Amino acid sequence: MALKLVSRSQWGARAYRTPGGATLYSGKRRGIKLHYLGTPYSDRPHTQCSAYIRQIQAQHMDGNGWSDIGYSFAVCTHGSVYEGRGLRRRNSANGSTSLNEQDYAILLLVGSSGLTKPTDVQLDGARDAIDYVRREGPAGTWLGGHRDGYATSCPGDAVYAWAKKGALRPSASTTIPPKEDDVSLTSTQAKQLADLHKTLVPYAGWGYKGSNEKVDAYGYLRGTKADIAKLATQVTALTAAVNKLAQLAGSDVDTEQVVAAVEKAIADAVVKVDVDITSTPIQES
Ligand SMILES: [Zn+2]
Ligand SMILES: [Zn+2]
């Protein structure tokens, strides 16, 4: 995704009350806090989004008496990223001066009722904004919500859960539609499987008879040598399937083709596994 940045002049921002704008950050920030509106919100055509951001700015300046809109950036439901205080300026949204000093503040235009769940393009836009702020702020990788360290429900459960799971793009967590066996894996699960495989494979070839710590390794896994070998090979099969899936995901192949390729990869790996188990003794050290 490319960042769809809407500059202050593009959305018709009022000038900062303080000449020169809010206090400048001295350097890199810890990370980013996400926010929601905390009021009812209903989705609207994108042509009305700039006016809505101007309305927030007016509330913050005229109602709260702040020098500017409180947020660093704001992301509408159509994925556009509105420049609030922008880069390198202290926001006033996180609850206190020290909290504002600590992290940038990004608002997602979702409400406490009405539209409460961010749209997919909005999450992509928020991800773009996070990457942009981390790179250009700069800011570290800490990511959370207004509620971290401050008594508020902001940014709402949906946005908060998304942040705490790593703010993944919706496309990254989309699963292949299930077919027959109902097997579908996210990229995260694929990585976990691959890591598990890396962890288990060395044990499969380790000594079984000795009295050293290698025995403990088997004990820890609570299995016989054959059990461990079987487990490792099952993981190998799944990993092969997952790797195949990962290669295909993201390209424009149709689902039938993906499923067929995955099923073949599993079959290939399982055949290889059967041969390994029955005809090749597990190496002992
Ligand atoms: Zn907030
Ligand atoms: Zn919009």
Side-chain angles (χ1 to χ4, degrees):
M1 303 298 145
L3 177 72
K4 290 191 284 181
L5 188 65
V6 182
S7 69
R8 291 175 67 90
S9 62
Q10 283 172 328
W11 61 263
R14 281 161 58 179
Y16 318 114
R17 178 166 291 138
T18 314
T23 307
L24 289 169
Y25 283 140
S26 58
K28 185 176 181 177
R29 298 298 97 188
R30 176 183 70 162
I32 297 166
K33 280 184 175 169
L34 301 184
H35 296 259
Y36 75 161
L37 291 161
T39 56
Y41 184 72
S42 53
D43 204 4
R44 59 205 65 216
H46 185 56
T47 49
Q48 295 176 18
C49 288
S50 286
Y52 197 85
I53 300 293
R54 289 196 298 273
Q55 187 186 319
I56 295 171
Q57 187 191 30
Q59 281 166 8
H60 287 181
M61 294 179 76
D62 303 333
N64 301 1
W66 295 346
S67 67
D68 190 9
I69 189 171
Y71 305 104
S72 310
F73 292 91
V75 186
C76 76
T77 55
H78 317 96
S80 286
V81 177
Y82 292 79
E83 179 188 26
R85 297 202 182 187
L87 301 170
R88 295 180 284 279
R89 280 182 203 288
R90 188 168 73 204
N91 68 82
S92 61
N94 290 339
S96 72
T97 301
S98 61
L99 293 170
N100 298 335
E101 269 291 318
Q102 191 169 40
D103 300 302
Y104 278 92
I106 297 177
L107 167 72
L108 279 76
L109 287 188
V110 293
S112 49
S113 64
L115 181 82
T116 57
K117 221 172 150 282
T119 66
D120 280 0
V121 285
Q122 188 171 25
L123 293 179
D124 268 322
R127 179 73 229 187
D128 292 336
I130 290 165
D131 291 341
Y132 176 66
V133 168
R134 283 179 178 173
R135 187 177 69 243
E136 304 289 338
T141 55
W142 191 92
L143 182 65
H146 190 178
R147 66 174 67 170
D148 290 313
Y150 191 82
T152 174
S153 58
C154 183
D157 291 341
V159 172
Y160 189 72
W162 178 71
K164 287 303 173 186
K165 282 181 199 152
L168 297 178
R169 290 187 184 280
S171 58
S173 53
T174 299
T175 53
I176 299 295
K179 188 190 176 190
E180 292 181 5
D181 289 337
D182 197 25
V183 173
S184 54
L185 292 162
T186 64
S187 59
T188 305
Q189 288 170 322
K191 185 179 180 311
Q192 286 169 342
L193 259 182
D195 288 345
L196 179 63
H197 180 218
K198 265 186 246 160
T199 306
L200 287 175
V201 161
Y203 292 120
W206 276 14
Y208 185 56
K209 291 186 286 192
S211 58
N212 56 26
E213 70 277 7
K214 291 176 183 177
V215 171
D216 293 336
Y218 279 113
Y220 177 73
L221 288 164
R222 294 179 188 282
T224 63
K225 181 171 63 175
D227 289 334
I228 302 301
K230 196 174 169 192
L231 179 57
T233 47
Q234 282 170 345
V235 173
T236 302
L238 281 169
T239 303
V242 166
N243 286 341
K244 196 72 202 171
L245 189 59
Q247 281 169 21
L248 293 171
S251 58
D252 284 337
V253 294
D254 65 42
T255 305
E256 297 277 328
Q257 208 179 334
V258 173
V259 170
V262 170
E263 285 173 350
K264 181 172 185 310
I266 291 173
D268 288 350
V270 169
V271 167
K272 184 169 174 293
V273 162
D274 287 343
V275 170
D276 287 348
I277 287 176
T278 54
S279 67
T280 310
I282 300 295
Q283 182 195 349
E284 294 188 3
S285 59

